Amino acid sequence: MAGWLRPLAGTLFLLEVAAAVSFLHHRYEEMVRALFRVQSECPYVTRIYSIGRSVEGRHLYVLEFSDYPGIHEPLEPEFKYVGNMHGNEVLGRELLLQLSEFLCEEYRRGSERVTRLLHDTRIHIMPSMNPDGYEVAANQGPDGIGYLTGRNNANGVDLNRNFPDLNTFMYYSGEISGPNHHIPLPDNWKSQVEPETLAVIQWIGSYNFVLSANLHGGAVVANYPYDKSQDQRFRSHRRTANTPTPDDKLFQKLAKTYSYAHGWMHRGWNCGDYFVDGITNGASWYSLSKGMQDFNYLYTNCFEITLELSCNKFPPKEDLERQWMANREALVAFIEEIHQGIKGMVTDENNNGIAGAVISVQGISHDVTSGEMGDYFRLLLPGTYTITASAEGYQPQTVTATVGPAAPSLVHFQLKQDVVKKAPERKASGTRTNNKTLQKKVVPRAVRRGTQR
């Protein structure tokens, strides 16, 4: 094709894709129909499942994309998007429906990029974590005067202030370098959370998620952990105090990936706020307790950021196409960020996978663990690292590995049984696998009511 024709062909292609998508607000029944329509159009690479029900009994549906739906393939990482946690912040819900249809259409068209993404990643998309709140907000509509109407669930609870407070356990553990990974939940945690929160906690405990984003509205910025300030016990919640995780540089890189792929987030000035590069540490913006973002990092292997995507929490339908075009590339590029760092298998001397093995990186005081099949994933920036794998009943093994800027480096561990302490007997796994999968593998900002994550 002549060089001057390529830009025109690209523009026509984008217009054709945009025309195939209906840009409107989806009520619950319409959202469900949209999800099942995508599943029927791409039945071999999608699966729909529910993680539970809301207070009013609505399903919390997830649409999965994978070349083997319903199966965890060794060395294939798990990714998730969660939208509409606040019922009145609706853009994320619509963007995830658009993304679902886009991935299906692109796969059917034979897009090399999307095909590779679906073959190498297991993607889980939850358009609405708070369907009850959405219905309240939708009854008001975009022009309603109740700015916070529908934000909470049907019990009047803010779901992003409803997760167990693991930050406090970490901050009060005696040292700032206290435990900050796989912190156990309090005994009575189930009685303190809402049905939607309970469903999400059980969900993220059932899948070995590696990377995630939570979509909100009311500002335009990519927000990364920690959300809760370690100084909150001394400060008002409206004071700011930068509170980085041990993976702060990595989180900044993840946030910038979305910000710079977005139409205008990276410019910084949005909604009356200014954020350098369009990103912010959550606690540096304002301190937030019991949020989902920090909970993911402190309780699981998952690295999650919060994406604030629009000044208007409930934008008019006429603005949805513009917002989709601004976010489309960013949504795909962020998923691709899961393929960096190191990954591998942790096995015993008989090549049986070891679940729950601890992967430690020297100089970064945050560990991850291997999944049920013995595979692990550790997001890292390019560099050379000293990595140790350890498990109860086995001798630890330490290796040095170099991480490049592209695909993750494969680093496998084979642990020898500890002669002093016998390893527990291992049961045979019933999980389905196949040979293919083993081979691929600066301006102060006041907190305004419109920018509450």
Side-chain angles (χ1 to χ4, degrees):
M1 181 184 295
W4 65 272
L5 285 176
R6 290 194 181 95
L8 176 60
T11 301
L12 292 174
F13 170 73
L14 292 179
L15 291 175
E16 184 178 355
V17 171
V21 180
S22 55
F23 294 100
L24 51 85
H25 290 289
H26 294 75
R27 302 293 288 256
Y28 176 74
E29 293 78 8
E30 296 165 335
M31 179 189 75
V32 172
R33 285 196 294 269
L35 291 174
F36 277 90
R37 183 173 62 250
V38 172
Q39 200 280 327
S40 67
E41 292 172 350
C42 291
Y44 301 111
V45 293
T46 60
R47 175 178 72 108
I48 292 178
Y49 63 97
S50 172
I51 67 167
R53 291 179 181 267
S54 67
V55 172
E56 296 181 345
R58 295 181 175 91
H59 278 287
L60 304 177
Y61 281 117
V62 177
L63 178 63
E64 173 192 337
F65 282 89
S66 171
D67 54 346
Y68 287 90
I71 300 173
H72 173 74
E73 303 174 70
L75 301 179
E76 183 170 289
E78 310 260 356
F79 178 94
K80 63 181 167 71
Y81 271 132
V82 178
N84 200 209
M85 185 182 199
H86 290 145
N88 64 330
E89 298 173 12
V90 306
L91 180 59
R93 174 187 178 115
E94 300 305 329
L95 290 177
L96 293 183
L97 291 176
Q98 300 288 344
L99 176 65
S100 299
E101 188 165 349
F102 174 77
L103 292 176
C104 175
E105 288 294 323
E106 288 296 280
Y107 183 81
R108 293 173 63 188
R109 290 174 183 271
S111 163
E112 180 180 348
R113 182 186 188 188
V114 171
T115 299
R116 181 174 63 250
L117 192 62
L118 269 57
H119 283 188
D120 294 343
T121 322
R122 193 179 181 195
I123 304 167
H124 305 255
I125 297 175
M126 180 192 290
S128 181
M129 181 181 165
N130 186 4
D132 297 350
Y134 176 87
E135 294 302 309
V136 174
N139 286 336
Q140 172 186 256
D143 300 323
I145 59 175
Y147 190 77
L148 298 179
T149 300
R151 174 185 175 89
N152 299 336
N153 75 344
N155 286 335
V157 175
D158 185 332
L159 297 179
N160 207 29
R161 310 291 191 279
N162 190 234
F163 284 78
D165 186 3
L166 301 184
N167 298 74
T168 295
F169 177 88
M170 175 182 61
Y171 296 152
Y172 282 82
S173 62
E175 304 259 350
I176 190 57
S177 59
N180 62 17
H181 42 257
H182 304 94
I183 298 175
L185 300 179
D187 293 337
N188 61 343
W189 71 272
K190 289 186 179 180
S191 65
Q192 299 179 359
V193 300
E194 293 298 299
E196 297 90 347
T197 310
L198 173 62
V200 168
I201 292 175
Q202 293 175 333
W203 179 42
I204 65 179
S206 301
Y207 293 83
N208 189 15
F209 289 115
V210 178
L211 183 62
S212 172
N214 179 17
L215 280 58
H216 285 250
V220 178
V221 64
N223 175 101
Y224 56 90
Y226 291 120
D227 268 339
K228 183 173 182 178
S229 168
Q230 66 190 48
D231 297 327
Q232 187 170 15
R233 50 188 161 167
F234 306 118
R235 299 170 183 260
S236 161
H237 76 283
R238 292 184 179 273
R239 296 287 295 275
T240 63
N242 184 61
T243 308
T245 69
D247 289 285
D248 186 59
K249 291 183 179 179
L250 172 61
F251 270 118
Q252 289 188 43
K253 191 249 188 179
L254 293 171
K256 286 181 182 179
T257 295
Y258 198 95
S259 173
Y260 276 88
H262 186 276
W264 51 82
M265 184 183 290
H266 60 279
R267 298 174 186 171
W269 284 110
N270 290 290
C271 316
D273 287 318
Y274 180 71
F275 301 96
V276 177
D277 293 319
I279 69 173
T280 185
N281 171 265
S284 181
W285 187 8
Y286 64 91
S287 186
L288 183 162
S289 184
K290 301 183 179 181
M292 184 165 70
Q293 174 176 269
D294 287 2
F295 181 84
N296 270 267
Y297 186 71
L298 296 175
Y299 181 62
T300 76
N301 292 324
C302 189
F303 288 50
E304 177 167 291
I305 69 172
T306 300
L307 299 171
E308 301 280 353
L309 297 177
S310 61
C311 304
N312 190 339
K313 290 175 179 283
F314 204 127
K317 65 178 182 180
E318 292 78 14
D319 194 38
L320 294 179
E321 182 173 0
R322 182 181 73 97
Q323 293 288 353
W324 164 241
M325 298 309 294
N327 283 275
R328 190 190 68 174
E329 171 60 25
L331 288 165
V332 176
F334 186 74
I335 299 174
E336 292 172 329
E337 285 295 291
I338 203 170
H339 297 289
Q340 63 177 303
I342 60 173
K343 66 178 182 179
M345 300 293 299
V346 183
T347 61
D348 62 18
E349 294 174 280
N350 295 317
N351 292 319
N352 298 311
I354 300 176
V358 177
I359 310 299
S360 304
V361 179
Q362 183 176 316
I364 305 177
S365 58
H366 184 82
D367 300 339
V368 299
T369 56
S370 59
E372 292 183 359
M373 303 182 70
D375 54 341
Y376 77 90
F377 308 85
R378 204 343 172 156
L379 300 179
L380 292 167
L381 295 173
T384 300
Y385 298 91
T386 300
I387 305 144
T388 300
S390 58
E392 183 179 359
Y394 297 90
Q395 299 176 20
Q397 181 182 0
T398 299
V399 301
T400 299
T402 298
V403 175
S409 300
L410 278 175
V411 181
H412 299 303
F413 294 91
Q414 189 170 55
L415 303 186
K416 296 181 179 181
Q417 186 173 336
D418 194 327
V419 295
V420 177
K421 185 175 182 181
K422 185 178 179 181
E425 291 186 9
R426 302 194 54 76
K427 296 181 180 180
S429 172
T431 307
R432 293 170 55 190
T433 62
N434 55 68
N435 292 334
K436 175 184 78 76
T437 61
L438 292 174
Q439 296 172 358
K440 64 175 176 175
K441 343 243 178 259
V442 172
V443 178
R445 303 175 292 277
V447 176
R448 302 177 295 112
R449 66 175 182 176
T451 55
Q452 295 185 26
R453 285 167 275 148

